[in-house]
Amino acid sequence: MGHAYSPGWRKVTIVILRPLLNGLLKREWRGRDNVPREGCVIIAANHISEADPLALAHFVYASGRYPVYLAKSTLFDVRFVRTVLRGTGQIPVYRDSADAALALRDAEEALLAGECLMFYPEGSCTRDPELWPMTGQTGVARMALQTGAKVVPVASWGAHELLPYTKGERRGLAGSLKKGFHPFPRKTMKVIAGPPVDLSRYEGRPLDKAVLREAADDIMRQIAALLGELRGQEPPEELYDHHRVLEERRRGLGAAGEEAS
């Protein structure tokens, strides 16, 4: 069937959300020229707050593209929300089900139709205590290498002050943030887009786990470097690996249990 959307619904969202975001957030934007005005493209961004998708969408729209997100499938269960999401061409992501592969299929169709696809390679808001990007999943790399789409790395900073993520580490910078929605005073949303990530060295190679891991790491390092520019700091040499941290904690708890017994 191919990727479908309603131009009317897209116009409605622009008319409603643009003035709302202009009033809610101040902006400090850089690198909009790095977002191609036409053709398929993947925007790969860091994720620090549940508020950053709309702010990032504002940046991308101002760069000349309409953003298409991979959204949680549960959002499509709400009738009006489903109408808006379907109408604007957003793509449902099914987790822990036999339909999980549909998201990648639909995303590939969207790219082949020339859309601007928005990806958060980390898969969730960062758990890094200092809010640096985590290691990324390999879906973005696979999609780019399969379709030939450019991957534009993007970093954002500021949405965490508007709406801090509450499930992350309660230490470091993350632990210092007050829970809740904080619209006043107006927060500045800083966004920077870099040139497309050079993935040419992976072309023609089999898309096995090692190749996809290397390509995903290249993408995340570019995003981390851009975030360092926004923050005026050097990103960590090794990105936070949430899965490894959880595994180490499980092993620690297991060892403590064995000692206690």
Side-chain angles (χ1 to χ4, degrees):
M1 182 176 68
H3 186 69
Y5 65 88
S6 163
W9 268 114
R10 287 192 171 184
K11 187 173 183 179
V12 167
T13 59
I14 293 165
V15 168
I16 294 175
L17 292 176
R18 234 182 136 191
L20 176 64
L21 291 170
N22 278 330
L24 184 63
L25 296 169
K26 295 184 285 185
R27 297 175 302 284
E28 186 179 308
W29 290 346
R30 288 187 265 166
R32 282 189 290 166
D33 290 343
N34 286 318
V35 179
R37 294 300 181 99
E38 57 184 24
C40 63
V41 62
I42 294 171
I43 302 295
N46 66 314
H47 201 5
I48 57 175
S49 163
E50 290 167 327
D52 60 40
L54 282 177
L56 184 61
H58 193 188
F59 171 85
V60 169
Y61 179 75
S63 303
R65 302 303 298 265
Y66 191 91
V68 174
Y69 280 92
L70 276 72
K72 291 180 181 179
S73 60
T74 51
L75 293 175
F76 290 77
D77 295 336
V78 183
R79 181 176 298 179
F80 176 72
V81 175
R82 177 174 66 245
T83 300
V84 175
L85 293 176
R86 293 287 188 190
T88 55
Q90 310 306 309
I91 298 169
V93 176
Y94 304 90
R95 297 181 184 273
D96 301 322
S97 76
D99 294 327
L102 292 177
L104 292 181
R105 183 205 66 187
D106 293 345
E108 185 170 344
E109 287 183 352
L111 285 173
L112 294 176
E115 293 283 13
C116 175
L117 204 60
M118 313 290 285
F119 261 100
Y120 287 114
E122 296 160 275
S124 67
C125 288
T126 183
R127 296 330 197 256
D128 184 284
E130 299 302 326
L131 303 185
W132 290 103
M134 300 186 292
T135 54
Q137 300 178 15
T138 58
V140 175
R142 179 182 294 277
M143 191 65 55
L145 294 171
Q146 285 183 169
T147 64
K150 294 179 179 178
V151 178
V152 174
V154 172
S156 69
W157 191 244
H160 61 294
E161 297 177 345
L162 178 69
L163 182 64
Y165 184 63
T166 59
K167 297 179 183 178
E169 294 279 355
R170 301 313 301 166
R171 55 192 176 92
L173 176 58
S176 71
L177 300 173
K178 292 178 62 177
K179 295 181 180 180
F181 183 57
H182 308 284
F184 303 109
R186 287 174 69 204
K187 306 302 185 292
T188 298
M189 184 67 180
K190 298 181 180 181
V191 186
I192 181 172
V197 180
D198 182 6
L199 299 175
S200 59
R201 68 191 182 102
Y202 303 107
E203 293 175 1
R205 295 170 61 181
L207 300 184
D208 56 28
K209 184 181 294 185
V211 166
L212 294 175
R213 180 73 268 151
E214 286 182 44
D217 289 346
D218 285 351
I219 293 168
M220 292 310 303
R221 293 306 312 181
Q222 291 283 343
I223 295 171
L226 290 170
L227 184 58
E229 287 189 42
L230 289 183
R231 297 175 60 168
Q233 299 173 330
E234 283 293 322
E237 292 186 8
E238 185 176 349
L239 297 183
Y240 186 90
D241 188 332
H242 185 50
H243 298 290
R244 187 175 68 189
V245 169
L246 290 178
E247 181 59 32
E248 289 174 351
R249 287 177 180 171
R250 281 193 290 268
R251 286 202 301 264
L253 289 173
E258 291 176 4
E259 289 180 4
S261 61

